[in-house]
Amino acid sequence: INPGIGEHDVLEKDVILVMDTSGSMQGEKIETAQQAMRYFVETLRTGDRFNILTFATSVRRFQPNLVLADRAHRDAAQVFINEVAANGSTAIDEALGEALADASRAATINPKQLRPLRVIFVTDGKPTVGVTDVRAIVSKAIQRNTADARVFAFGVESEIDSRLLNLLAAKTGGRAELVAGGDQLEQVLSDIVDQIARPVLTDIAVSVDGGQVYDVYPKTAPDLYAGGQVRIVGRY
């Protein structure tokens, strides 16, 4: 079905960008992550809201809460991104907690207004500070995700614990990607930025009349973005 999507059909969204700036990100990886974040900020539309969090041993914020993606805030965000330096440990649990707290606060501002919530999470390492157990981190993230934000998690190189990213994405309806290095990270992040920049339908529910359907996959339909498709399969 082609619903005839126009610019007026694109939903305004809330986005929290979270970037690992621990010591292992030094060099090409931090430069590539910065470039991807700069690109993401420039794709935001005027009605969107956003925030940027960087984390190493602790979390640093661009703004106390989400702000409108107007020209002034986007310019200030570019300065914030350019000043990022890689050093310290990897506080993944704290960073996720801060990002999901932002999402919860954003959802309470206009509770009746449909605004997709997205967390873009980029890391290259294993958690080394605070809570480090993978299942405990994911369990806490699920409890904190009261706003039903989608987490798009990106892991760079082999040190990352793929279980953590895959579980985060699976439990929040997002997506996980593991990339080999800086060049691939740039391409993958650019692709996902372009994809989620224009959300059209969220919280899709499908019902079938006239028969019994089972073995439906995926159980929860993903969101639909302009230019994309949603494919659901099953047996009847």
Side-chain angles (χ1 to χ4, degrees), residues 36-199:
M37 292 297 176
R38 286 192 291 264
Y39 177 64
F40 203 126
V41 167
E42 286 307 309
T43 67
L44 294 170
R45 301 157 67 87
T46 303
D48 295 338
R49 296 184 303 218
F50 77 106
N51 202 1
I52 304 171
L53 279 61
T54 63
F55 71 96
T57 306
S58 59
V59 177
R60 182 185 173 207
R61 290 173 159 275
F62 167 56
Q63 296 288 337
N65 294 297
L66 272 71
V67 293
L68 279 174
D70 54 27
R71 186 70 266 169
H73 282 129
R74 281 184 285 164
D75 287 345
Q78 298 291 9
V79 174
F80 178 84
I81 293 168
N82 290 339
E83 293 176 345
V84 166
N87 55 69
S89 301
T90 312
I92 287 180
D93 178 66
E94 182 183 351
L96 278 172
E98 295 267 353
L100 294 171
D102 271 12
S104 296
R105 284 192 294 270
T108 62
I109 295 174
N110 294 305
K112 294 183 179 179
Q113 183 180 1
L114 180 61
R115 294 183 69 94
L117 274 159
R118 304 290 176 262
V119 174
I120 310 299
F121 193 88
V122 181
T123 182
D124 79 327
K126 298 178 181 179
T128 59
V129 178
V131 180
T132 58
D133 179 75
V134 168
R135 293 198 174 275
I137 291 173
V138 173
S139 177
K140 289 179 66 177
I142 293 170
Q143 294 173 9
R144 292 162 167 166
N145 192 21
T146 57
D148 195 27
R150 307 285 196 266
V151 177
F152 291 79
F154 301 91
V156 189
E157 297 189 347
S158 59
E159 286 300 312
I160 192 67
D161 192 327
S162 60
R163 294 177 304 155
L164 173 59
L165 302 190
N166 289 330
L167 283 170
L168 276 175
K171 297 297 185 180
T172 63
R175 172 177 163 184
E177 293 282 354
L178 301 177
V179 298
D183 290 341
Q184 190 179 0
L185 174 65
E186 180 179 358
Q187 183 61 52
V188 170
L189 280 176
S190 296
D191 289 346
I192 197 64
V193 165
D194 290 337
Q195 178 189 11
I196 71 173
R198 302 177 65 208

Side-chain angles (χ1 to χ4, degrees), residues 213-229:
V213 178
Y214 61 100
D215 287 349
V216 175
Y217 181 84
K219 291 183 178 179
T220 302
D223 297 334
L224 176 66
Y225 301 91
Q229 63 179 0

